[in-house]
Amino acid sequence: MAVLQHEMTLGEAADLLSHALPGHRVEILQGRLTVTPPPDGSHALSLTWLVEAFGGAGARKAGLRYVQGIGLWLPTLADDFAIPDFSVVDADFRDALVQKNCYAPNVFRLVVEVTSSNWSDDLGPKVESYAEAGVPVYIVADRKHDAVLLYQDPADGKYPAPQRYKRGQSVPVPDSVGITLELSVDTLLDGDD
């Protein structure tokens, strides 16, 4: 009896894990498969609050959409993609579908990550990958270190040093996003006032 063996690609492994682990976020960052568990309550509340904040600031009227958990195709390696917690995208972002529910980086104006147990991915590979992809603004609610980091204006595939915000402060959404909004550090970190 002959047995055929097939070596699985990274993309195929990601698809398999996505189906086997409902509720988990599967990404490929810099050629490395990562799996993130479902968010805790504070994490989920932070994202809900962001939806309300961007809605209240008139993002839709400004020609933007704000979404949770859509794929961002990354130019780092052939199979690389990330699934940011929250993104602000151009209204016509659906026209920029690349594959596997991932969209071209040029339609992303801002991405936000709220750290979980995989906080090192948000502070390392994602900083590098989002900069290489040219994402104009990257905000990290770093719950591990109790601060919010604002990366913006990548040049030559790298972000300059981030601005760091502490509790009691607000993070101004950069003008390049297309709306005026201040985000409370405490609410980004805790999910509620």
Side-chain angles (χ1 to χ4, degrees):
M1 169 188 268
V3 176
L4 295 176
Q5 289 186 346
H6 168 72
E7 207 168 299
M8 202 179 302
T9 67
L10 208 50
E12 291 169 336
D15 290 343
L16 186 65
L17 280 172
S18 291
H19 295 299
L21 299 170
H24 288 69
R25 185 165 292 175
V26 177
E27 302 169 299
I28 301 175
L29 303 171
Q30 299 176 335
R32 185 174 55 88
L33 191 60
T34 66
V35 179
T36 305
D40 62 27
S42 294
H43 186 286
L45 284 171
S46 292
L47 300 181
T48 299
W49 174 75
L50 282 168
V51 168
E52 293 169 356
F54 278 86
R60 285 185 67 82
K61 288 181 183 172
L64 303 170
R65 298 296 180 264
Y66 38 95
V67 293
Q68 296 180 46
I70 66 164
L72 167 56
W73 199 255
L74 297 170
T76 44
L77 293 171
D79 288 328
D80 282 4
F81 69 95
I83 303 173
D85 289 327
F86 180 86
S87 303
V88 175
V89 293
D90 295 334
D92 62 353
F93 77 96
R94 288 174 281 194
D95 295 338
L97 179 65
V98 177
Q99 64 179 336
K100 295 184 178 187
N101 296 323
C102 292
Y103 298 86
N106 63 295
V107 298
F108 287 78
R109 302 270 187 106
L110 169 144
V111 297
V112 177
E113 298 285 3
V114 178
T115 61
S116 298
S117 58
N118 67 328
W119 57 270
S120 61
D121 286 335
D122 296 333
L123 299 174
K126 286 190 178 181
V127 173
E128 295 165 4
S129 296
Y130 292 160
E132 284 183 49
V135 174
V137 178
Y138 175 36
I139 296 174
V140 184
D142 182 2
R143 299 188 303 167
K144 173 76 174 168
H145 301 100
D146 209 34
V148 173
L149 304 174
L150 170 62
Y151 293 90
Q152 61 183 319
D153 303 323
D156 299 321
K158 295 192 182 315
Y159 287 115
Q163 294 173 273
R164 181 177 298 272
Y165 295 88
K166 299 178 183 177
R167 289 189 175 276
Q169 296 180 311
S170 291
V171 180
V173 172
D175 293 338
S176 64
V177 175
I179 59 166
T180 301
L181 180 61
E182 298 269 331
L183 301 174
S184 159
V185 168
D186 291 23
T187 307
L188 280 167
L189 293 172
D190 301 333
D192 237 337
D193 320 73

